[in-house]
Amino acid sequence: MKPIIYITQKLPDEAVAELQQSYEVRMWHDDQTSAPKEEIVKQVKEAHALWAMLSNQIDNEVFEAAPKLKIVANLAVGYNNIDLDAARKHGVMVTNTPEVLTEATADLTFALLLATARRIIEAEKSVRSGDWKSWSPMGMAGQQVGGATLGIIGMGRIGEAVARRGQGFGMNILYHNRTRRSLEDVKYAGLDELLQQSDFVVILTPLTEETRGMIGERELSLMKNTACLINVARGGIVDEQALYEALKSEKIWGAGLDVFEQEPVPLDHPLLSLPNVTVLPHIGSAAIQTRLSMMALNAEAIHSCLEGRSVKNRVC
């Protein structure tokens, strides 16, 4: 019998075609939602490989149900949705998709920064709703980006790519990272210093026990009342209630969020009620070419693992 691969969400035909030649590929039927946890547990009982989405929580319950499982390929660069200790315990390797999403995510980060600063979504809605009556000297006035100070929390590949875009806008670039980097025209700053000096604070750090809740009431209170917070990393890094209070009371000027602690974000979430928040549905890497490249990395990892070859992009 052919080894079995289970994919937790429907992917494009071109992403799975090569695997289907050598393996039995089983796939969730919907391309908009991922398989529920109980379905994943059911399917992994026979699976040799699991191709997971960022929205899937792959924990000890999943690994306990999967005696044949050799690999979990995660369609993301982050892997906080996977219990790595449980994976190691059960002898299952885990892979991710680094590098190929750097430029697309940096593009989206800067687009979200610009949209937040210049109130793009709010202004667009005013046109469509008929609220735009005439030109006004301060109508839809936002924050200037060119020449402003950009503070980047998490200076990995994506952080460097965002910094390059900021330099193109003549911005002064600060960064905070666990380790200092040798970067041209970019200055290291302590977290408090970065928050105090930056006009735009961009979060690009992974979600870990160290970074969970990293930006809370105290940190937000250090920011300028004209500053914007941009989060394209993970929702759990920011205390969302503290952010809501800071925005509502105008302690900071605006926020652009591509990620939330709970996704999809509930429609009654307080942050969605604020006009000075620009929100997106976690689309950081959602460029067609990038997503297909990510899928190709996952497919390659699965194929290499099942054929007993060296596997790239292992995280455990």
Side-chain angles (χ1 to χ4, degrees):
M1 294 180 62
K2 293 181 178 181
I4 295 170
I5 302 168
Y6 182 63
I7 307 174
T8 64
Q9 193 157 338
K10 183 174 174 56
L11 299 180
D13 292 342
E14 59 195 288
V16 300
E18 188 171 342
L19 292 177
Q20 287 172 329
Q21 295 177 13
S22 303
Y23 311 106
E24 181 180 340
V25 177
R26 301 176 182 177
M27 185 162 48
W28 182 244
H29 57 81
D30 192 357
D31 64 354
Q32 297 298 313
T33 60
S34 190
K37 177 73 170 296
E38 58 268 24
E39 180 66 17
I40 295 173
V41 171
K42 175 183 174 182
Q43 291 289 341
V44 294
K45 290 178 180 179
E46 298 181 336
H48 299 81
L50 176 64
W51 192 340
M53 307 300 118
L54 180 61
S55 54
N56 303 135
Q57 291 302 312
I58 309 302
D59 56 17
N60 192 62
E61 180 185 3
V62 175
F63 291 112
E64 287 283 357
K68 301 177 182 179
L69 194 64
K70 296 182 178 181
I71 182 173
V72 176
N74 203 39
L75 190 63
V77 66
Y79 42 85
N80 56 288
N81 59 310
I82 300 176
D83 186 335
L84 297 185
D85 290 335
R88 295 186 187 99
K89 174 184 173 183
H90 290 85
V92 179
M93 72 174 67
V94 176
T95 69
N96 66 341
T97 60
E99 300 183 18
V100 296
L101 49 69
T102 297
E103 297 302 325
T105 306
D107 285 347
L108 187 280
T109 300
F110 217 83
L112 182 55
L113 185 155
L114 288 167
T116 303
R118 295 301 304 273
R119 302 169 66 180
I120 299 296
I121 306 302
E122 190 181 356
E124 196 263 358
K125 287 180 178 178
S126 76
V127 175
R128 291 185 182 275
S129 67
D131 289 341
W132 180 35
K133 304 303 181 184
S134 67
W135 183 87
S136 170
M138 295 301 289
M140 290 294 167
Q143 299 294 334
Q144 183 163 312
V145 175
T149 296
L150 171 63
I152 300 173
I153 301 174
M155 186 55 84
R157 294 186 184 93
I158 298 172
E160 289 186 40
V162 171
R164 291 196 301 271
R165 286 155 177 77
Q167 289 167 342
F169 278 72
M171 302 181 83
N172 173 42
I173 316 291
L174 304 176
Y175 79 95
H176 180 74
N177 204 51
R178 285 185 302 176
T179 56
R180 297 197 183 199
R181 309 284 306 281
S182 296
L183 300 169
E184 188 175 351
D185 298 325
V186 177
K187 177 185 175 185
Y188 174 85
L191 180 60
D192 287 3
E193 179 187 359
L194 181 147
L195 293 169
Q196 290 167 341
Q197 295 187 15
S198 298
D199 299 299
F200 299 92
V201 174
V202 174
I203 301 173
L204 291 167
T205 188
L207 176 61
T208 64
E209 289 307 309
E210 182 183 354
T211 63
R212 186 176 296 277
M214 181 183 199
I215 304 299
E217 181 180 1
R218 187 192 76 85
E219 289 74 25
L220 291 165
S221 71
L222 297 175
M223 293 174 62
K224 301 176 182 180
N225 61 9
T226 55
C228 297
L229 181 75
I230 309 296
N231 188 7
V232 291
R234 291 292 184 270
I237 297 168
V238 177
D239 181 333
E240 292 178 348
Q241 183 60 37
L243 177 59
Y244 169 76
E245 297 295 342
L247 289 161
K248 185 179 180 182
S249 61
E250 299 182 353
K251 291 180 180 177
I252 66 173
W253 190 82
L257 307 173
D258 185 42
V259 291
F260 294 86
E261 190 160 10
Q262 179 183 340
E263 295 181 356
V265 62
L267 293 179
D268 61 354
H269 195 296
L271 284 168
L272 299 189
S273 69
L274 299 176
N276 53 343
V277 179
T278 302
V279 294
L280 298 174
H282 203 148
I283 57 171
S285 63
I288 295 169
Q289 300 90 334
T290 296
R291 288 287 170 86
L292 289 174
S293 295
M294 293 167 66
M295 293 174 196
L297 288 182
N298 280 161
E300 179 186 359
I302 290 171
H303 188 59
S304 295
C305 175
L306 296 182
E307 295 299 315
R309 300 196 301 267
S310 176
V311 177
K312 299 177 182 178
N313 304 318
R314 290 185 62 170
V315 295
C316 82

